[in-house]
Amino acid sequence: SGQYSHDQDESPLPLFNVWGTVESEESSLEARLSGTAFNDRFEWTAGAFFWDANQQNGGAVSLTYYQLPFLVFDTDDHNEAENKGLYFHSITSLTDRLSLTAGLRTSDDEKLFTFSHFFDATVTGGGESDDWKVGLDYQLDDEQMVYVQAASGYTASTFNGRPFTPAQLIPQPPEELVSDEVRYKPDFANVR
């Protein structure tokens, strides 16, 4: 938890002053199992992840210079977020130099934001996604490797965590991404 104050107009005049408190309670838990099979040529990791957060932005907004009473108000915004995920990752040594990497992850996000300034409003967010990763790497020698990989990922839908008006509460949709890479990775003494 903490406190802050800010003169947002950044001028010598008291046009727009904000004082606030911030509190955040978060917890996370991750459990993993890993092992090898087929004479250590198959390495695997499986796991589950959970994260939960409750956050509060409070305080006072003062625009008293404008002499309008509705421009002086208290804030009490609350954000609740939760992420759950399951994943599996593996590396298979196809030869002494060639390896296959593969992985899967399923994610579930939930978000709820309650905006409470001089009126109340609520916006939800989150999303679900099943993502993957696949890649091949080839060890040219003890100091050089080349690899190619592709992976998907996502960002849960979100919203402005510090809105000033209800118009700023519009959620943004989830974003899905695919990343492709082709790389050369040398490792000479202390330089990689």
Side-chain angles (χ1 to χ4, degrees), residues 125-142:
E128 296 177 353
S129 184
D130 295 319
D131 295 302
W132 52 268
K133 176 180 181 175
V134 64
L136 285 171
D137 63 77
Y138 186 76
Q139 197 75 38
L140 299 170
D141 56 36
D142 290 344

Side-chain angles (χ1 to χ4, degrees):
S1 67
Q3 299 180 13
Y4 67 93
S5 63
H6 188 218
D7 179 8
Q8 294 197 278
D9 60 89
E10 298 181 11
S11 76
L13 300 174
L15 301 178
F16 189 176
N17 297 314
V18 176
W19 171 84
T21 60
V22 178
E23 294 183 18
S24 181
E25 292 181 15
E26 299 181 33
S27 58
S28 65
L29 176 66
E30 184 170 5
R32 284 186 280 183
L33 294 173
S34 60
T36 60
F38 308 111
N39 294 325
D40 295 336
R41 297 185 73 84
F42 181 73
E43 301 173 47
W44 61 272
T45 299
F49 178 80
F50 174 79
W51 173 76
D52 180 68
N54 289 297
Q55 300 158 332
Q56 182 264 344
N57 289 326
V61 175
S62 175
L63 285 75
T64 54
Y65 183 82
Y66 298 103
Q67 301 297 315
L68 298 171
F70 65 88
L71 293 178
V72 177
F73 56 89
D74 291 328
T75 63
D76 189 23
D77 299 342
H78 291 270
N79 181 43
E80 298 174 28
E82 182 179 277
N83 172 266
K84 295 177 279 193
L86 298 172
Y87 58 88
F88 180 82
H89 183 264
S90 68
I91 300 173
T92 305
S93 299
L94 302 174
T95 70
D96 289 343
R97 294 183 180 266
L98 181 65
S99 295
L100 169 68
T101 299
L104 295 171
R105 179 184 173 97
T106 183
S107 300
D108 181 16
D109 286 279
E110 296 179 19
K111 299 179 181 183
L112 176 68
F113 185 81
T114 303
F115 172 87
S116 181
H117 287 195
F118 38 90
F119 56 88
D120 294 337
T122 301
V123 64
T124 60
E128 296 177 353
S129 184
D130 295 319
D131 295 302
W132 52 268
K133 176 180 181 175
V134 64
L136 285 171
D137 63 77
Y138 186 76
Q139 197 75 38
L140 299 170
D141 56 36
D142 290 344
E143 299 173 335
Q144 301 177 85
M145 179 181 73
V146 292
Y147 69 89
V148 58
Q149 71 178 13
S152 70
Y154 103 113
T155 301
S157 68
T158 190
F159 38 81
N160 179 359
R162 296 189 54 117
F164 188 69
T165 68
Q168 297 173 340
L169 286 174
I170 300 170
Q172 298 300 309
E175 181 180 22
E176 296 185 13
L177 308 167
V178 174
S179 169
D180 302 307
E181 293 183 59
V182 177
R183 300 271 175 124
Y184 166 66
K185 185 176 175 182
D187 193 355
F188 303 115
N190 293 326
V191 178
R192 173 172 287 183

